[in-house]
């Protein structure tokens, strides 16, 4: 793109990916989650270009660029472009101060791995433009508009967890987020002498075209059935196992399984917080295994590669727990592994995984980190 020849950035933003310790597929059911940002991130560089409406965005990883007219924001056939276009569209609804700009994007987040590179991109772009043009948006505004961009332009009816974790995280802590009230608490996390290890199946997923939106619809169906008898239930966050059992006859088996998982997972989030506060890492590991079992059997968002890695971990006494992380259908497992055993475990898992699937496994440690911020 022509602007790259003389590009001098005025502002650099670092926007992290995230992990979620526990609380999977509960955010769009207005439940509880326990995420945090990680040290791997997207770097965005910005400058104004003295134009009223022309925006140039270049992504180094794809070696692709897009020129956008702020007066003609329309959904693109190129999926990655819609994350950009969606954010600009949502900002334009909230502010008339946005003008032309140039931006480059560089990522060290593996796409499709379940660490939410999409939210990092959305939030980094919105955060940077807010700073560049003094738009007056709060951090919560940035979180919400980034989520809305994914709904309207990308087509994934995600919850708010990914964007919230990307913007609001605090180094050395996880966030207990109530996805109904958006109230949050920072919970210190220290798993020494263990480490949080991500194993990337390198099986990519596209949530917009997968079963993600279907799961959301199934949960909404469950709420409608339960609410007929228990009108106080506005989401699965308000439901109990007893309510589900009481209305089971009206549900299909799939809908019953989905809501049973969600209610149990909400309970596991609170159990995980108690385990962290008591430094009971063994209990935390057990909860991860329970979550994976629910995600695989009841929520049906796993895949053979993810199931294999979780089962493989159970044969190693240096691993306290493992589960799939993120939307599912591919991506990473999150594992709690003793620091002295990480290298050996990665080697063993990689060899077994490649022998089984003929796919290379990749891995990285996840360090709880600061949310989206200006690079000084």
């Amino acid at each position: 793109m022509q602007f790259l020849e003389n590009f001098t950035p005025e502002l650099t933003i670092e926007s992290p990916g995230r992990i979620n310790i526990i609380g999977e597929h509960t955010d769009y059911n207005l439940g509880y989650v326990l995420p945090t940002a990680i040290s791997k991130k997207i770097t965005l560089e910005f400058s104004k270009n003295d134009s009223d409406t022309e925006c140039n965005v270049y992504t180094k990883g794809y070696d692709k660029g897009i020129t956008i007219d702020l007066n003609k924001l329309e959904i693109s056939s190129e999926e990655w472009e819609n994350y950009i276009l969606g954010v600009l569209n949502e900002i334009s609804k909230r502010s008339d101060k946005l003008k032309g700009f140039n931006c480059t994007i560089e990522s060290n987040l593996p796409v499709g791995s379940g660490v939410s590179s999409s939210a990092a991109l959305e939030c980094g772009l919105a955060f940077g433009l807010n700073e560049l043009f003094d738009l007056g948006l709060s951090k919560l505004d940035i979180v919400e508009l980034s989520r809305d961009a994914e709904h309207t332009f990308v087509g994934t009816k995600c919850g708010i967890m990914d964007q919230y974790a990307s913007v609001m995280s605090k180094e050395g802590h996880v966030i207990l987020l109530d996805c109904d009230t958006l109230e949050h608490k920072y919970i210190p996390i220290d798993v020494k002498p263990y480490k949080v290890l991500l194993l990337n199946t390198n099986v990519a997923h596209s949530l917009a075209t997968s079963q993600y939106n279907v799961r959301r619809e199934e949960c909404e169906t469950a709420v409608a059935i339960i609410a007929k008898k228990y009108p106080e239930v506005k989401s699965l966050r308000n439901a109990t196992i007893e309510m589900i059992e009481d209305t089971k006859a009206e549900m299909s088996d799939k809908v019953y399984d989905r809501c049973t998982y969600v209610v149990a997972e909400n309970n596991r989030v609170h159990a995980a917080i108690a385990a962290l506060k008591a430094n009971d890492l063994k209990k935390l590991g057990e909860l991860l295994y329970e979550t994976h079992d629910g995600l695989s059997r009841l929520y049906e968002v796993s895949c053979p590669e993810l199931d294999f890695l979780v089962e493989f971990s159970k044969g190693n006494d240096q691993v306290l727990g493992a589960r799939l992380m993120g939307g599912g259908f591919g991506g990473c497992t999150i594992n709690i592994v003793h620091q002295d055993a990480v290298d050996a475990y990665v080697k063993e898992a990689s060899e077994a995984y490649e022998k089984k699937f003929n796919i290379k496994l990749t891995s990285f440690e996840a360090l709880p980190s600061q949310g989206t911020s200006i690079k000084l």
Side-chain angles (χ1 to χ4, degrees):
M1 298 185 77
Q2 191 171 359
F3 84 88
L4 294 170
E5 296 173 11
N6 302 302
F7 182 57
T8 304
E10 300 172 42
L11 175 72
T12 301
I13 300 295
E14 293 183 324
S15 191
R18 66 99 189 95
I19 56 171
N20 185 27
I21 300 297
I22 203 161
E24 213 65 83
H25 287 273
T26 51
D27 61 341
Y28 56 82
N29 287 296
L30 304 185
Y32 297 92
V33 290
L34 203 62
T36 182
I38 58 175
S39 54
K40 286 189 175 291
K41 58 195 67 173
I42 293 176
T43 302
L44 304 96
E45 295 181 328
F46 296 87
S47 70
K48 297 176 182 176
N49 63 16
D50 299 323
S51 161
D52 282 341
T53 64
E54 183 182 296
C55 310
N56 300 296
V57 180
Y58 173 74
T59 173
K60 297 179 181 179
Y62 290 118
D63 190 23
K64 289 182 178 179
I66 178 176
T67 297
I68 300 161
D69 184 339
L70 290 174
N71 291 331
K72 299 176 183 176
L73 296 173
E74 298 172 348
I75 293 174
S76 170
S77 58
E78 289 278 338
E79 186 182 17
W80 76 270
E81 294 179 359
N82 286 322
Y83 295 102
I84 309 290
L85 291 161
V87 168
L88 298 182
N89 182 60
E90 293 301 326
I91 289 177
S92 69
K93 295 177 184 178
R94 294 162 171 84
S95 173
D96 59 3
K97 294 182 180 179
L98 185 61
K99 304 290 184 184
F101 66 90
N102 298 328
C103 174
T104 64
I105 301 166
E106 186 169 20
S107 175
N108 66 1
L109 286 172
V111 175
S113 64
V115 295
S116 201
S117 55
S118 57
L121 174 57
E122 294 153 0
C123 295
L125 181 64
F127 194 100
L129 294 175
N130 186 49
E131 293 290 331
L132 192 66
F133 292 102
D134 194 20
L135 301 179
L137 301 172
S138 69
K139 283 189 173 184
L140 186 57
D141 290 333
I142 290 168
V143 168
E144 291 179 334
L145 78 83
S146 296
R147 174 205 57 194
D148 293 348
E150 198 147 334
H151 287 193
T152 54
F153 268 61
V154 180
T156 302
K157 299 297 184 183
C158 63
I160 204 164
M161 174 184 71
D162 295 348
Q163 292 81 7
Y164 205 97
S166 188
V167 173
M168 300 291 197
S169 287
K170 181 178 174 182
E171 188 172 352
H173 294 72
V174 289
I175 301 173
L176 170 59
L177 174 62
D178 180 332
C179 295
D180 183 17
T181 65
L182 297 188
E183 293 174 354
H184 73 272
K185 294 178 182 176
Y186 292 109
I187 310 291
I189 181 169
D190 183 1
V191 296
K192 291 174 185 167
Y194 290 82
K195 290 188 174 183
V196 177
L197 176 73
L198 299 191
L199 296 179
N200 189 356
T201 63
N202 289 305
V203 176
H205 62 259
S206 173
L207 296 183
T209 55
S210 72
Q211 291 291 303
Y212 187 98
N213 292 342
V214 175
R215 292 298 176 280
R216 184 165 185 152
E217 291 165 7
E218 289 166 339
C219 291
E220 289 167 355
T221 298
V223 170
I225 291 169
I226 297 167
K228 287 178 183 176
K229 191 163 187 178
Y230 299 96
E232 68 272 22
V233 173
K234 308 297 184 188
S235 69
L236 287 179
R237 174 286 184 24
N238 309 121
T240 64
I241 293 295
E242 291 76 20
M243 290 175 182
I244 294 169
E245 292 299 329
D246 198 23
T247 53
K248 180 180 179 181
E250 282 78 55
M251 297 180 187
S252 69
D253 289 345
K254 279 194 186 306
V255 168
Y256 172 76
D257 285 346
R258 305 305 188 240
C259 59
T260 300
Y261 162 76
V262 171
V263 172
E265 182 71 350
N266 266 325
N267 293 334
R268 279 190 287 268
V269 173
H270 295 294
I273 292 163
L276 278 174
K277 289 180 175 178
N279 199 33
D280 188 349
L281 299 180
K282 183 173 182 291
K283 177 61 177 177
L284 183 64
E286 290 169 358
L287 291 167
L288 295 193
Y289 282 132
E290 287 177 21
T291 291
H292 184 82
D293 181 65
L295 287 166
S296 183
R297 288 190 310 106
L298 300 177
Y299 220 67
E300 296 184 282
V301 292
S302 192
C303 63
E305 294 86 354
L306 289 165
D307 287 341
F308 174 84
L309 287 176
V310 172
E311 283 302 312
F312 183 82
S313 75
K314 292 176 181 177
N316 192 315
D317 59 9
Q318 299 298 302
V319 182
L320 296 182
R323 69 172 186 85
L324 77 84
M325 189 188 71
F329 311 107
C332 288
T333 59
I334 180 170
N335 308 261
I336 302 175
V337 185
H338 196 282
Q339 61 188 16
D340 296 339
V342 168
D343 291 344
Y345 181 66
V346 168
K347 184 173 185 292
E348 292 166 13
S350 297
E351 289 172 354
Y353 183 74
E354 187 171 4
K355 183 178 180 181
K356 175 74 173 177
F357 297 105
N358 198 29
I359 301 172
K360 295 278 188 187
L361 194 68
T362 50
S363 64
F364 56 95
E365 182 185 351
L367 296 170
S369 299
Q370 178 72 25
T372 305
S373 58
I374 299 170
K375 184 177 181 181
L376 302 174

